[in-house]
Amino acid sequence: GYPGAMIPDITRLVPIVMAQDDRVLRESEPGTLAEIERNLEFGRRHKGAADGRIQPMMSPLGCDTQTPATMRAIAAAAREMGTGIHTHLAWNPGENPAIRRRWNRTAAQWCEDHGFFEGPFFGAHFSDCDWDIDAPILRRHGAIYAHCPSVSGAGGPTQPYPEALGHGLKVNVGIDTHSNDYLENLKLAVLLGQARYHLLKGRSDLPLQMPTIAEAVKGATLYAADALGRDDLGRIEEGALADLIAIDVSGFLTGSGALPPEPLHNLLYAGGRAVRHVMTGGVVQVQDGRLRVADAAEVMQRGGKAVQKIWSALEAEGWWAG
């Protein structure tokens, strides 16, 4: 796991993003610098925990909520931790215009100016990317586009998966809170990506490449592992961690009772319930579709109580009103 808190955090970012002038951004700088230091302390404290499986990284919200001082501080913290940066990049229609107005740069240029690409770099969404300027920068540094097909929930807008592939970028598939079923997100990435490809083909001057399930699986495994500098992840070979997932592609609903000629294609009909076995570090977590490392009913009960606390707190704050 590569955990990192969003900077600025959710309680501070909305006024910064929604502000009509730059005064709020300037005044936010001391608070953001303090958040960066707290996250760096978190990284120092927990890096290498759980037998090396916890590797904290810096996760700024995006460039439009940062000043030059906070950008430098984020880059310095990332260099110290050595695990890279995960951020939103060109994540909304206002980010690149705001950065151009303030600094005469695009988001990717400003990241490059401040050393964000010196280590692993994952940029999410790319909803308003300047492909002519940003794509060559990202390609040169081996940056990963973190495509999150469920970012706005079911029925949300598509994202530029075909454009990113067409510009030679490596694409990872992310979750971004709206669905915990990673197989469903792989499927969504391909299906929505192919729909976008066919919609734009012949109507856009941008180079496009149609996503495939094989490409999405590479993005879920090899591309992410290689970008993190981890040759022990994302592959099945001697010396790699025994982190394995087995998926039934021949059973009811996903298949036809026999192993198909192109097994990966059947992932387009699969979901999390088709997962039969899960192993991490050689330890079996799920076997024959059943949780083995803990009592499933107890896990659900504990999770339900935690979520109910959150719901009660939100209700008390008036989030359910109307």
Side-chain angles (χ1 to χ4, degrees):
Y2 287 73
M6 188 164 62
I7 305 170
D9 68 29
I10 194 69
T11 62
R12 298 179 59 245
L13 69 88
V14 174
I16 300 172
V17 172
M18 301 301 292
Q20 298 299 309
D21 57 50
D22 296 339
R23 176 185 56 81
V24 176
L25 175 64
R26 291 193 300 270
E27 292 176 352
S28 73
E29 185 176 272
T32 300
L33 289 171
E35 282 191 42
I36 294 167
E37 184 59 32
R38 286 197 296 272
N39 278 274
L40 180 56
E41 285 298 323
F42 174 88
R44 289 167 176 157
R45 190 163 60 251
H46 296 290
K47 185 177 180 182
D51 297 322
R53 288 189 173 270
I54 304 301
Q55 300 290 336
M57 71 191 322
M58 298 304 291
S59 302
L61 171 72
C63 294
D64 55 338
T65 57
Q66 306 298 330
T67 66
T70 63
M71 290 286 283
R72 290 192 295 270
I74 290 165
R79 279 193 294 272
E80 178 178 332
M81 286 199 285
T83 49
I85 291 174
H86 183 265
T87 187
H88 298 98
L89 192 72
W91 65 293
N92 69 61
E95 181 178 9
N96 266 335
I99 296 169
R100 279 195 171 99
R101 178 177 56 78
R102 293 168 184 156
W103 324 111
N104 195 31
R105 314 296 279 162
T106 68
Q109 285 176 317
W110 217 46
C111 285
E112 187 176 44
D113 291 345
H114 291 90
F116 273 36
F117 299 118
E118 293 177 12
F121 182 91
F122 293 76
H125 305 323
F126 284 22
S127 300
D128 196 44
C129 185
D130 186 322
W131 293 105
D132 290 337
I133 295 174
D134 295 346
I137 294 172
L138 300 168
R139 206 166 49 239
R140 182 166 64 249
H141 293 287
I144 294 287
Y145 165 36
H147 168 46
C148 302
S150 62
V151 60
S152 296
T158 62
Q159 293 187 352
Y161 195 0
E163 296 97 311
L165 293 177
H167 283 85
L169 299 181
K170 298 291 179 65
V171 181
N172 170 240
V173 178
I175 292 179
D176 204 13
T177 76
H178 290 286
S179 169
N180 292 320
D181 190 328
Y182 193 61
L183 281 181
E184 288 287 352
N185 276 268
L186 286 182
K187 182 194 313 183
L188 277 176
V190 176
L191 298 180
L192 294 177
Q194 290 189 356
R196 185 181 177 101
Y197 170 84
H198 288 295
L199 179 66
L200 295 178
K201 187 179 179 182
R203 297 180 177 89
S204 173
D205 295 329
L206 294 173
L208 304 169
Q209 179 180 323
M210 189 174 72
T212 65
I213 190 64
E215 179 69 23
V217 169
K218 286 182 182 178
T221 55
L222 285 173
Y223 294 165
D226 289 347
L228 290 168
R230 297 290 300 269
D231 60 7
D232 60 339
L233 297 176
R235 65 208 80 210
I236 302 173
E237 61 183 38
E238 185 177 352
L241 294 176
D243 292 352
L244 306 172
I245 297 174
I247 303 165
D248 181 6
V249 295
S250 61
F252 288 118
L253 302 181
T254 61
S256 57
L259 186 66
E262 297 286 349
L264 287 182
H265 290 180
N266 284 47
L267 293 181
L268 293 171
Y269 307 96
R273 292 187 181 278
V275 173
R276 303 307 302 157
H277 313 301
V278 176
M279 180 185 292
T280 56
V283 176
V284 175
Q285 306 276 0
V286 175
Q287 186 173 26
D288 295 324
R290 300 187 64 180
L291 190 66
R292 293 297 185 188
V293 293
D295 181 82
E298 182 183 350
V299 171
M300 289 293 294
Q301 185 180 45
R302 290 170 58 193
K305 288 180 178 179
V307 172
Q308 285 172 335
K309 282 186 179 180
I310 296 172
W311 288 340
S312 296
L314 291 172
E315 184 177 19
E317 293 175 10
W319 286 91
W320 302 148

